[in-house]
Every structure is written in structure tokens, then in C-alpha cells.
Amino acid sequence: MHNKTALITGASSGFGLLTSITLAKRGWRVLATMRDLNRREKLETAARDAGVLDRIEFHALDITLAPQIAKIADLVAGRGEPLHALVNNAGFAVPGFADAVTDAELREQFDTNFFGTVAVTRALLPLMRRQGFGHVIVVTSISGRMGYPGVSSYAASKFALEGWTETLRFEMLPLGIQVVLVEPGSFETDIWTRNAKQTAGLRNPDAANATRVTRWRAKLAEGAKNRANPQVVADTIAGILENPKPKVRYVVGKNAKMGLLMRSLLPQGVFERMMIKMTGMDG
Ligand SMILES: NC(=O)c1ccc[n+]([C@@H]2O[C@H](COP(=O)([O-])OP(=O)(O)OC[C@H]3O[C@@H](n4cnc5c(N)ncnc54)[C@H](OP(=O)(O)O)[C@@H]3O)[C@@H](O)[C@H]2O)c1
């Protein structure tokens, strides 16, 4: 038992939920935040089953709402205890072809994945600076390292987060704060179903894109069989938080590692033809 405290965003499902349980089992106190407290039941049940419910606090936090961010920052500072870790996990995807996504859809994607994450981090950094220690994890994605057809908005938001976070790391390291990127490949969570916000362009594709959308959907469904168990991401995050000198980035999952390796090894033309075929973009 080490009584360290971590705040996690998006703790109602997926990586956020599993990380909350994993850290609590390892002795952490967890401030599990979620945008809708009515969705706490899944985490509550999992925590009760694991015998760690008393180590988890539930708090409301929609990372796009400035008043809620200010409130949680006050609450954390008011506890009079250190905050050892912030896990920026909340996020979602706006799938759709780049030429069919609307400006409003693209902005909505950035409001959560980029601006929301940045705002939460900036709100909690003053406390960590006063303490002179802390870990800040930012969950991006393999889509923050390479493009993938059909997810330009998501990839753009995660690429932006990569640049911001990598820079923040240089600025915070001398102050004792460890800033780390976690880049998962494809894992079985709600991001592909409940939390995939279908764009108008995907629901009603124009004639030029219709056939490709159908093929792209079929390829995604095929790929779904290879999605991995998300517990490995939670374990990776817990390991980083317990490492006093973590690396700048952690790629998690075989498919993410394989994608980056193939892009670096294959001639560009070969790699592009392979990606186009794999995702149904051809023809
Ligand atoms: N699963 C993958 O294959 C994969 C791969 C790479 C990266 N990621 C990243 O991993 C992170 C977690 O996603 P996941 O896969 O665990 O998916 P998930 O099961 O859909 O979980 C996403 C979480 O984010 C929350 N959320 C969404 N918008 C929010 C907002 N405005 N404020 C606060 N919370 C918000 C959701 O809340 P609700 O329950 O209320 O919807 C949910 O708790 C995301 O950043 C995602 O981009 C996932």
C-alpha cells in the first residue's frame, strides 16, 4: 500500500475503467472522473467485485466544460494531499472520410480530444508544480503517429496532442514532472461502437464515396476480430505511473508496433498500396 493518488478522466468505460481498477488493486487512491455519473455503475460493480471500492472516489468531469474542470481542480487542491498522477484518457472518434467531415464535426473532435485534454492538464499542473513531482499521462493512439483511412479527424486530434505533450515533457522534466504518451493500437472497448460518432458523410455518403464506405466498413468489421484485450493498456499505464523515470512514449499492442515497423521498413509506394488495399480505398 503506498497511498498515492491518481485522477483519471473517462473512467466510466474502456481503458479508464480498467486503469481505475488496476491502480486501486495496486494500492492507489483513484479519483475516477466521468462526464455522466449515472454511468458509474459498471465501474462501481467492477470495483466491488475486486474488493477495492473503498479506494475509488467518483467525480463528475466532462473535459469540454470549463466550470467542471475548475471545480475538480479546486477539489483536488482542497484535499490538502498530493496528486501523484493525472491520466488523460477521455476521448472519442469521429470516423468519416476527410472530404466529407463537416467543420462542426471536426471541431467537436478537437474540443474533446485536444482542447479538453489540454485544459484538464493545465488546470492540474499548478498543484504538481507546487509539489515538485507527479506523472501526467496522455493517451493518444497509433493514430497519433500515422494516418489511417476514415479517421482523419481523430488522427488530427491525436497528432496535435502528440506535439503538445512532447513539448510539455521538455518544459516539465526540470520541474520534476514526468509527462508521458501512451499510444495504443486497436483494443476492444466502446470507442468502436457506442462512442464512435458517425458523421453525416458516413451515414449518407455521396455517390463518389458510397462504394468505398461500404468496403471500408466491411474491412473494419473484419479487423474487429483482431482487437486486443484492453487490460494490457491499463497494466502499461500502471507500470508507467510506478516508474520514476518513464520514457516519453509507449506504443501498446502488436498491431500498432507492426504498423509503425512496416511504415519504417517498406518503400513508401509499397506501404501505401498495402494500406489502400487493406482498408478498401481502392477502385
Ligand atoms: N480502444 C482503442 O482501440 C483505442 C486505441 C487508441 C487510443 N484509444 C484512446 O483511448 C482512450 C480511451 O478510449 P477507450 O478505447 O477506452 O474507449 P471508451 O470505452 O469509449 O471510453 C472512452 C471514455 O471517454 C469518455 N469521454 C468521452 N468524451 C468525454 C468528455 N467530453 N468528457 C469526459 N469523458 C469523456 C467516455 O465517457 P462516456 O462513458 O460517458 O461515453 C468514456 O468513459 C481515448 O482517448 C481513445 O482515443 C483507444
Side-chain angles (χ1 to χ4, degrees), residues 66-176:
Q68 287 195 11
I69 296 173
K71 195 169 163 198
I72 201 86
D74 283 351
L75 183 142
V76 174
R79 293 164 63 87
E81 292 166 11
L83 178 69
H84 299 83
L86 164 63
V87 181
N88 284 300
N89 161 75
F92 79 110
V94 172
F97 291 1
D99 60 350
V101 170
T102 65
D103 280 0
E105 288 164 341
L106 184 54
R107 282 177 196 281
E108 197 184 348
Q109 179 73 98
F110 268 76
D111 277 344
T112 298
N113 289 11
F114 181 72
F115 290 108
T117 301
V118 167
V120 171
T121 307
R122 284 155 59 110
L124 291 167
L125 274 177
L127 174 62
M128 286 194 177
R129 289 186 65 151
R130 285 199 295 279
Q131 296 168 182
F133 62 83
H135 281 55
V136 175
I137 286 188
V138 178
V139 179
T140 59
S141 171
I142 181 62
S143 295
R145 299 286 298 283
M146 55 193 283
Y148 191 91
V151 294
S152 57
S153 312
Y154 180 71
S157 69
K158 296 292 192 180
F159 265 71
L161 213 41
E162 288 267 334
W164 187 81
T165 306
E166 197 172 311
T167 304
L168 183 71
R169 179 170 165 108
F170 289 124
E171 295 171 358
M172 291 298 138
L173 263 182
L175 308 180

Side-chain angles (χ1 to χ4, degrees), residues 9-17 33-36 39 61-65 88-93 112-113 139-143 154 158 182-192 194-196 227 230 233:
T9 65
S12 54
S13 75
F15 301 153
L17 184 150
T33 72
M34 54 192 76
R35 60 179 160 177
D36 180 0
R39 291 185 35 74
L61 177 59
D62 182 324
I63 66 166
T64 64
L65 299 179
N88 284 300
N89 161 75
F92 79 110
T112 298
N113 289 11
V139 179
T140 59
S141 171
I142 181 62
S143 295
Y154 180 71
K158 296 292 192 180
V182 172
E183 303 167 335
S186 135
F187 289 86
E188 193 56 52
T189 69
D190 288 1
I191 199 164
W192 302 95
R194 184 177 63 82
N195 273 329
R227 284 179 202 148
V233 176

Side-chain angles (χ1 to χ4, degrees), residues 142 145-146 251 255-265:
I142 181 62
R145 299 286 298 283
M146 55 193 283
V251 181
N255 50 16
K257 287 176 186 158
M258 188 59 81
L260 288 171
L261 185 69
M262 287 202 292
R263 185 179 64 176
S264 70
L265 292 181

